Amino acid sequence: MTTLQNGHQKKPLDIIIVGGGLVGSLEALLLAKRGHRVRLYEYREDIRRTPHVRGRSINLALSVRGRKALQSVGLEQHMIREHGIPMVGRYIHKFDGSTYVIPYDARTNQCIYSVGRNYLNSLLLKESEKYGNVEKYFNHKLINADLHKGSLTFLKTQNKETVEVNADLIIGADGAYSAVRKAMMKQPLFDYSQKYIEHGYMELCIPPGEDGEFQMPSKYLHIWPRGNFMLIALPNQDRTWTVTLFMPFAKFNEIDTEEKVLAFFGKYFADAIPLIGKKKLLEDFFAASALPLVSVKCRPYNVIDKTLLIGDAAHAVVPFYGQGMNSGFEDCTILDELFQKHNDDIAKILSEYSDTRWKDVFAISDLAMYNYIEMRDLVTRPSYLFRKSIDDFLFWLLPDLWVPLYNSVSFTNMPYSECVRNRQWQDKIFQLIIIFVGLWTFGSILYLSVR
Ligand SMILES: Cc1cc2nc3c(=O)[nH]c(=O)nc-3n(C[C@H](O)[C@H](O)[C@H](O)COP(=O)(O)OP(=O)(O)OC[C@H]3O[C@@H](n4cnc5c(N)ncnc54)[C@H](O)[C@@H]3O)c2cc1C
């Protein structure tokens, strides 16, 4: 018997989490804190012992939803103060080499933080060592699942043995290509859709300058918007920048020689070449192929009271709102609140989670698709900058009433679907303002001309 957080004496639940990525390792901590027995199974080797694997973004933007979840396991302040690099706005690099800044929050200077994926994942895993009720099994690949029985078969990747395990509850946190979700797809009434966008991404790097410092102003997310494609850069602790090129695969395929790479960068990102360095640009460009971006929607997230999906396994989104990890962390916060509310009654927790969560993650999935267009194209348009200045002004004037979309998504815990509804009524008011200003201007001109 264990005394749970709510003071009740209860037999702890036996829970298996598949996937020791960011979301799985955070969920393990939250369940361990509640006194349950947690077994975390991870396909890869312990990330604390492996160097960064190319193909997974090196750094991520952490915002309020992710921070709230980290706060509940006591790691938020460490991440913000010791590790994260604040980014207070977008730093736009125009075609002609000139630059300008679009602050995220001109009113209260809120910011997002650039954090290292491996660092954060390692920190979460390390933290779990404080809990005797967490067991971690690395190099274990889920190969089969009977979700009704709560039984899983793992392949030990080092010696190719298989092992079968059972639990009261299985949580699939095994990412966008989830094996748990694959098993759930055999269930009747399980809806699933996935979309690969026609754009892929490739990571490059800007090294520190000769003085060992950042080569660009560090407190920003840098963007080179070029209409149908873009380059972005996020700062790292070691004074490097992780630079990501998002572009249609067709265009990546066209650029197949060193000359073409240099000509392409020379034409579209000329100011980035001296920062990256020609040699390094060519090395990194040809070191690996561009990677795909997939968006996954599915529901329900549970199979009766035995299995649940969270994080990318439940809702992989394209990365343009910087909310994939943040929404996955928010899943953990919401689950924790439901464990509290329903006193660890799995059936009630899973059913409420599944019935309510989908609206918000579907909303952020759609917003993320939209934000790609905003980042790669709209940010350069006068109409966008005009709307942003009106939003900023009204936010300054009416901070509780007029919260702009980006701010509500990144700096509040407002449900994502509500952020969208918020934006919809703001759009209507904005249109009325434009009509009013238009009529007023027209009326004034008419009045002056007949006077
Ligand atoms: C280019 C890019 C940039 C991004 N930038 C941001 C950002 O700025 N901010 C943000 O919030 N999000 C960002 N994201 C999204 C973010 O990376 C994901 O949302 C987040 O990593 C999801 O975490 P997860 O734990 O659910 O899944 P994952 O990180 O994919 O972890 C899943 C884990 O499950 C393991 N696994 C898989 N299959 C099995 C199996 N069969 N058996 C056992 N284990 C298995 C995997 O090895 C992995 O460790 C970005 C994504 C990309 C691609």
Side-chain angles (χ1 to χ4, degrees):
M1 295 298 254
T2 309
T3 307
L4 298 176
Q5 248 180 3
N6 53 19
H8 290 202
Q9 289 279 313
K10 249 191 163 181
K11 187 171 172 289
L13 295 167
D14 189 356
I15 301 175
I16 287 181
I17 298 178
V18 184
L22 293 165
V23 175
S25 23
L26 174 67
E27 185 55 31
L29 280 177
L30 286 164
L31 291 169
K33 265 186 91 176
R34 296 192 64 78
H36 299 300
R37 177 188 181 207
V38 183
R39 281 173 288 165
L40 186 67
Y41 284 87
E42 166 55 46
Y43 179 13
R44 292 171 300 165
E45 204 183 324
D46 187 341
I47 199 167
R48 292 168 290 178
R49 292 207 214 112
T50 45
H52 176 76
V53 184
R54 200 181 158 118
R56 302 173 61 79
S57 67
I58 292 168
N59 52 20
L60 305 141
L62 174 70
S63 50
V64 157
R65 294 164 207 266
R67 286 176 60 179
K68 181 177 177 190
L70 290 175
Q71 191 181 29
S72 62
V73 292
L75 296 176
E76 187 222 5
Q77 283 308 310
H78 173 86
M79 279 309 290
I80 299 309
R81 294 218 175 119
E82 309 287 322
H83 176 79
I85 302 176
M87 298 183 293
V88 298
R90 292 168 172 163
Y91 197 104
I92 309 293
H93 296 249
K94 286 173 66 179
F95 221 127
D96 61 8
S98 62
T99 58
Y100 59 93
V101 166
I102 308 177
Y104 286 130
D105 178 6
R107 196 178 67 86
T108 54
N109 287 329
Q110 295 209 68
C111 61
I112 54 177
Y113 289 84
S114 176
V115 299
R117 178 190 289 276
N118 277 14
Y119 183 91
L120 179 52
N121 206 158
S122 301
L123 185 73
L124 290 164
L125 291 171
K126 186 167 163 239
E127 187 69 11
S128 70
E129 257 136 46
K130 292 186 183 158
Y131 297 88
N133 50 345
V134 179
E135 296 156 42
K136 295 185 282 298
Y137 300 90
F138 296 100
N139 303 303
H140 278 66
K141 180 184 182 185
L142 177 70
I143 52 166
N144 203 12
D146 183 335
L147 302 178
H148 282 279
K149 282 196 201 146
S151 135
L152 301 174
T153 310
F154 287 93
L155 174 74
K156 294 186 189 177
T157 55
Q158 284 172 327
N159 60 12
K160 307 293 173 212
E161 280 174 13
T162 55
V163 52
E164 201 176 315
V165 287
N166 292 283
D168 298 326
L169 172 64
I170 294 159
I171 298 185
D174 50 344
Y177 304 98
S178 167
V180 178
R181 190 183 64 226
K182 208 178 281 169
M184 282 173 79
M185 284 169 76
K186 295 177 195 144
Q187 302 297 315
L189 303 182
F190 182 82
D191 283 336
Y192 170 77
S193 69
Q194 73 173 36
K195 170 147 186 64
Y196 281 100
I197 61 169
E198 61 174 295
H199 295 233
Y201 73 99
M202 174 181 281
E203 289 194 337
L204 306 166
C205 175
I206 294 178
E210 279 173 9
D211 59 356
E213 275 308 319
F214 283 117
Q215 291 199 64
M216 301 189 290
S218 70
K219 291 198 165 173
Y220 301 95
L221 192 159
H222 288 249
I223 310 179
W224 289 254
R226 296 296 180 261
N228 196 27
F229 53 91
M230 69 175 178
L231 196 65
I232 67 166
L234 272 75
N236 295 311
Q237 275 285 330
D238 62 0
R239 304 310 191 239
T240 60
W241 293 85
T242 301
V243 179
T244 312
L245 175 59
F246 293 98
M247 193 164 72
F249 277 105
K251 191 130 186 95
F252 272 114
N253 294 339
E254 277 171 21
I255 306 172
D256 53 1
T257 64
E258 295 194 343
E259 293 69 33
K260 287 184 188 171
V261 173
L262 293 178
F264 171 73
F265 272 77
K267 180 169 179 189
Y268 293 106
F269 309 116
D271 57 339
I273 296 181
L275 301 172
I276 301 174
K278 274 188 192 169
K279 188 166 167 278
K280 192 161 170 43
L281 170 62
L282 294 172
E283 270 167 23
D284 287 355
F285 196 93
F286 291 112
S289 316
L291 294 164
L293 291 165
V294 70
S295 176
V296 169
K297 283 182 182 170
C298 67
R299 66 181 286 230
Y301 300 126
N302 66 316
V303 174
I304 48 168
D305 56 355
K306 275 287 176 211
T307 310
L308 184 71
L309 295 176
I310 58 173
D312 272 20
H315 49 79
V317 299
V318 291
F320 307 112
Y321 231 111
Q323 287 295 313
M325 168 191 68
N326 285 289
S327 61
F329 280 5
E330 191 178 55
D331 293 349
C332 301
T333 305
I334 290 171
L335 259 186
D336 197 43
E337 286 162 4
L338 291 177
F339 267 86
Q340 183 70 23
K341 175 176 169 188
H342 294 302
N343 237 332
D344 301 320
D345 181 328
I346 307 181
K348 286 186 184 156
I349 296 164
L350 267 50
S351 133
E352 182 167 343
Y353 180 86
S354 209
D355 286 351
T356 53
R357 185 63 176 147
W358 68 273
K359 285 190 216 81
D360 292 315
V361 292
F362 279 25
I364 191 57
S365 175
D366 297 341
L367 281 175
M369 287 283 189
Y370 157 79
N371 214 43
Y372 187 28
I373 304 167
E374 178 168 316
M375 286 176 86
R376 71 178 196 231
D377 189 17
L378 302 184
V379 287
T380 59
R381 297 191 182 206
S383 55
Y384 169 85
L385 296 171
F386 176 65
R387 170 64 194 258
K388 170 93 174 101
S389 59
I390 299 283
D391 271 339
D392 285 348
F393 172 70
L394 290 170
F395 185 34
W396 169 81
L397 196 68
L398 308 161
D400 296 326
L401 188 66
W402 193 284
V403 186
L405 180 62
Y406 186 88
N407 302 59
S408 64
V409 168
S410 303
F411 303 131
T412 76
N413 292 298
M414 187 188 287
Y416 290 122
S417 55
E418 213 175 304
C419 299
V420 173
R421 279 197 297 279
N422 215 27
R423 172 67 174 206
Q424 284 164 346
W425 71 252
Q426 288 174 358
D427 280 348
K428 285 187 188 138
I429 305 269
F430 183 74
Q431 279 160 10
L432 286 177
I433 294 174
I434 296 295
I435 291 170
F436 176 78
V437 171
L439 287 175
W440 187 81
T441 312
F442 180 70
S444 305
I445 294 169
L446 207 62
Y447 172 74
L448 289 174
S449 59
V450 294
R451 245 181 100 207

